[in-house]
Amino acid sequence: MELKSQMLRQVNFQGDGLRMGTLWNEKDLSKPQILIDSAFGDSHPGSKHLDKLVEAAKISVYEHQGKPMCYTVTDICDGIAMAHDGMNYSLASRDIMAFMYEIHALASPIDGAIFIASCDKSVPAQLMAMLRLNLPAIQVPGGSMLSGPSYMSSEILYGCGDRVLTGKMGLKELGYYTRNCCPSAGACQFMGTASTMQSMSEALGLALPGNALAPAYSNLILQYARQAGRQLMELVKQNLKPRDIVTYKNFENAIIVHAALGGSTNALLHLPAIAKEVGIKIDPGLFDRINREVPILVSLKTGGQWPTELFWYAGGIPAIMRELKDLLHLDALTVTGKSVGENLRDLEESGFFNEVNSYLANYNLTPEQIIKTRTNPVKPQGNIIILQGNLAPEGAVIKTSGLAPEMYCFTGQARVFDSEEAAVAALLADQIVQGDVIVIRFEGPQGSGMPEMLRMTEALYTRPELARQVLLITDGRFSGATRGPAVGHVTPEAYTGGPLAYLKDGDLIRMDIAARRLEVIGIGGQAKEPAEVEAVFAERRKNTVLPQKESTGVLRLYRRLATSVAEGATIG
């Protein structure tokens, strides 16, 4: 097979001269040209160290007779974007990054690509671009951050703001947590969206086995980058492309692993968006079905016990897949050129599990303490529940980790807010009482860009008297660290005329987890028959003028073009 880069050299002589202006030579020009595109930058710990992985991959490409070219599209951090309008840009950044990776690849005559990222939006952006481009490619997850003292992680700061403001925490204590919760580079130390999407990259077969969540502060992660360079050159030789690898089976495998990890609800946005690039539709109901069948095998922070670095030492994603192999499609292909089953056998024979497990001796732990078996799981079913009803005709999602048993069937009166800021202000002013259903609307993809509601969910969760007697419902989304009684992704969203837009204070709302229902069952505090409720809402639709929000630049573009959450809220 003639390489694309060499074919284009025959018609674009200027390109050769420009490359030599960046210290290429004649021998470099004749080699396979490999794009190494990363999210490296000073934006947050998950991207700060990626230049070292880029350098390791670059050396390996050189070693195997390729010519690397290094580009970057830096990502943003939801933790830094929280509590101001920057959060509105978070989900949009995923699609814009995917476009930039696509532009880098198509504007240059490349023969293969290595994509390197750690976090929430950059990993799915790279996976979307890989499948869209369909050139030989590998994604390298950037690994996990070192835990702070006593397994401290960055999640500890989530509720600190309100505690400081109310005098429940002093600045000295806050300073201790601030200095010690992020002691190294890497993705946050819990199974939030960053760790979830690293895991999904590996479970999809688009990252090397064992790469996801490897300690970002160690030489171990650099070895994966070196291996990626070597394997990418093999993929170029074989002309093995992402669409040759990824089928519906790979996505089912990823969702099975997601269930066993208790992964972030944001995967319900990102996996459909990735699948869309190959014409595969992932119905939200698939997550619900798989979560009914697959037990949670590891108790990971935030709601659980262990940080992600210890999970990796216990065997990481390969150990989860080994335990679930009877449920997985073991014949699904991966970037190794081998199947999932072959990869697991190779890891076993190479001593991978024994080697990584040996690090647990430093913590006086065994792998069995961290990763459980299907016969003795952490929980018998996964955390993801898909709800439907007259309030969410096309679905909504709740993650049951941290959900009090008394909330599994809950009825309360609506307290309706048109923004997260207004809802938080009411909560801080003690205007929310037991039995309320906080509704935050016009925060979906077309309403506001679908920001996270982490400030609201943490403010609610850290008030035990409310966390067991108040429900939150929104057409926005949640952080991977969200805990407690929170229903999100309500579809259709309010801004497009979904039922959420016509709720009023005092409407009775019932959530029934067992029945998978989310419904308005009364008006003005009084129970009504379904037909009566529908008649009231029909009248409200006639008489309600929906708000029009103004945005500029990229947010305006995203809001205008974004699809529904069921399709991944994409603009591609």
Side-chain angles (χ1 to χ4, degrees):
M1 182 195 74
E2 189 173 6
L3 296 172
K4 177 184 176 182
S5 61
Q6 301 310 307
M7 289 189 290
L8 287 175
R9 288 186 65 209
Q10 300 170 25
V11 295
N12 181 7
F13 303 106
Q14 185 183 26
D16 282 2
L18 290 168
R19 288 182 185 81
M20 292 185 74
T22 61
L23 298 180
W24 290 40
N25 60 36
E26 288 88 345
K27 289 184 178 180
D28 291 332
L29 292 170
S30 64
K31 295 175 180 178
Q33 296 176 17
I34 306 302
L35 174 67
I36 303 178
D37 217 337
S38 78
F40 167 67
D42 288 338
S43 49
H44 55 88
S47 289
K48 179 66 175 177
H49 67 306
L50 297 181
D51 58 330
K52 297 178 179 62
L53 276 67
V54 168
E55 188 63 22
K58 182 178 176 181
I59 291 170
S60 186
V61 169
Y62 270 125
E63 286 177 337
H64 294 85
Q65 308 309 309
K67 177 61 179 79
M69 55 179 79
C70 302
Y71 292 16
T72 185
V73 183
T74 306
D75 53 356
I76 64 170
C77 175
D78 284 7
I80 294 172
M82 195 193 312
H84 61 97
D85 287 344
M87 184 59 81
N88 295 337
Y89 291 84
S90 173
L91 186 56
S93 74
R94 176 199 64 186
D95 289 56
I96 301 305
M97 291 179 73
F99 286 141
M100 285 305 304
Y101 292 127
E102 176 188 5
I103 289 169
H104 287 173
L106 295 181
S108 303
I110 68 164
D111 303 303
I114 299 171
F115 294 100
I116 304 175
S118 303
C119 288
D120 304 35
K121 311 306 175 302
S122 51
V123 173
Q126 292 182 349
L127 298 176
M128 290 165 67
M130 284 172 65
L131 290 168
R132 188 181 302 169
L133 293 165
N134 202 32
L135 293 162
I138 289 178
Q139 203 274 322
V140 178
S144 290
M145 185 188 297
L146 176 69
S147 292
S150 301
Y151 299 149
M152 185 192 300
S153 67
S154 60
E155 66 171 299
I156 200 165
L157 292 177
Y158 289 155
C160 287
D162 292 342
R163 294 177 67 190
V164 171
L165 292 174
T166 56
K168 297 177 181 178
M169 177 183 289
L171 294 180
K172 186 175 181 180
E173 183 181 4
L174 176 64
Y176 171 76
Y177 293 143
T178 303
R179 289 188 299 273
N180 293 288
C181 69
C182 296
S184 81
C188 290
Q189 312 96 320
F190 48 85
M191 190 47 65
T193 308
S195 296
T196 295
M197 294 316 299
Q198 286 195 36
S199 302
M200 295 300 92
S201 179
E202 183 175 330
L204 282 168
L206 294 175
L208 293 171
N211 187 168
L213 309 179
Y217 48 86
S218 72
N219 290 336
L220 299 167
I221 192 82
L222 298 177
Q223 293 296 336
Y224 281 106
R226 291 285 292 269
Q227 186 181 347
R230 180 168 61 252
Q231 181 58 26
L232 189 277
M233 296 307 296
E234 278 298 315
L235 295 179
V236 171
K237 289 178 185 177
Q238 298 171 23
N239 196 31
L240 184 60
K241 303 172 184 177
R243 292 186 202 171
D244 301 324
I245 294 169
V246 174
T247 68
Y248 190 82
K249 291 180 179 180
N250 298 71
F251 283 98
E252 281 205 336
N253 282 351
I255 297 171
I256 289 168
V257 170
H258 177 270
L261 296 175
S264 166
T265 56
N266 282 311
L268 278 77
L269 294 170
H270 299 319
L271 286 176
I274 296 163
K276 186 178 177 182
E277 299 292 344
V278 287
I280 294 174
K281 181 174 176 56
I282 303 296
D283 188 273
L286 179 62
F287 286 88
D288 190 279
R289 177 180 67 77
I290 287 176
N291 273 263
R292 291 179 192 239
E293 298 170 356
V294 176
I296 293 180
L297 298 181
V298 57
S299 177
L300 290 168
K301 292 169 133 332
T302 58
Q305 183 176 5
W306 306 113
T308 48
E309 61 167 326
L310 295 190
F311 167 60
W312 188 84
Y313 290 138
I317 301 305
I320 292 291
M321 298 184 88
R322 180 177 62 177
E323 182 61 29
L324 296 173
K325 62 183 179 182
D326 292 344
L327 302 178
L328 295 172
H329 299 286
L330 295 179
D331 60 340
L333 197 59
T334 73
V335 290
T336 65
K338 299 179 180 180
S339 69
V340 170
E342 290 171 324
N343 288 342
L344 290 175
R345 185 173 63 249
D346 287 350
L347 289 172
E348 198 78 63
E349 292 175 354
S350 71
F352 166 82
F353 293 106
N354 289 334
E355 189 168 323
V356 297
N357 291 170
S358 67
Y359 281 84
L360 289 177
N362 295 340
Y363 303 88
N364 293 316
L365 292 169
T366 64
E368 294 75 21
Q369 289 175 270
I370 298 172
I371 298 178
K372 303 299 183 180
T373 64
R374 287 173 61 191
T375 56
N376 183 33
V378 175
K379 288 178 63 176
Q381 292 184 323
N383 286 324
I384 298 296
I385 304 288
I386 302 299
L387 305 171
Q388 287 186 297
N390 61 12
L391 193 54
E394 296 175 19
V397 63
I398 185 169
K399 186 176 179 180
T400 58
S401 56
L403 185 65
E406 54 265 41
M407 295 297 297
Y408 274 64
C409 189
F410 179 82
T411 300
Q413 294 194 34
R415 291 291 310 281
V416 182
F417 301 93
D418 291 347
S419 70
E420 183 188 24
E421 293 80 3
V424 170
L427 183 66
L428 296 179
D430 296 325
Q431 295 171 4
I432 303 298
V433 299
Q434 293 183 359
D436 282 348
V437 178
I438 303 168
V439 175
I440 304 177
R441 61 190 180 186
F442 304 116
E443 299 281 23
Q446 294 186 37
S448 295
M450 207 176 186
E452 288 183 356
M453 303 285 122
L454 182 59
R455 190 177 179 212
M456 184 68 211
T457 56
E458 279 300 299
L460 179 59
Y461 187 78
T462 53
R463 288 164 171 78
E465 73 282 5
L466 297 181
R468 293 175 174 269
Q469 290 295 330
V470 172
L471 178 64
L472 168 64
I473 298 174
T474 180
D475 51 8
R477 63 188 179 89
F478 299 127
S479 163
T482 292
R483 303 168 289 180
V487 176
H489 300 200
V490 173
T491 311
E493 63 175 286
Y495 198 78
T496 62
L500 216 60
Y502 307 107
L503 277 174
K504 291 187 177 181
D505 284 352
D507 288 347
L508 287 179
I509 298 172
R510 175 180 293 161
M511 176 182 72
D512 188 333
I513 294 290
R516 274 33 180 196
R517 303 298 294 173
L518 183 68
E519 298 179 301
V520 180
I521 62 167
I523 304 296
Q526 300 297 314
K528 301 289 183 181
E529 292 296 320
E532 295 178 279
V533 171
E534 178 54 36
V536 170
F537 269 67
E539 191 64 26
R540 289 178 183 176
R541 287 188 190 94
K542 294 179 185 177
N543 299 315
T544 301
V545 178
L546 298 180
Q548 296 296 307
K549 292 186 176 184
E550 294 298 323
S551 300
T552 59
V554 69
L555 184 57
R556 177 173 60 188
L557 174 70
Y558 179 78
R559 290 181 53 219
R560 185 171 75 242
L561 299 179
T563 62
S564 76
V565 297
E567 298 179 62
T570 67
I571 60 176

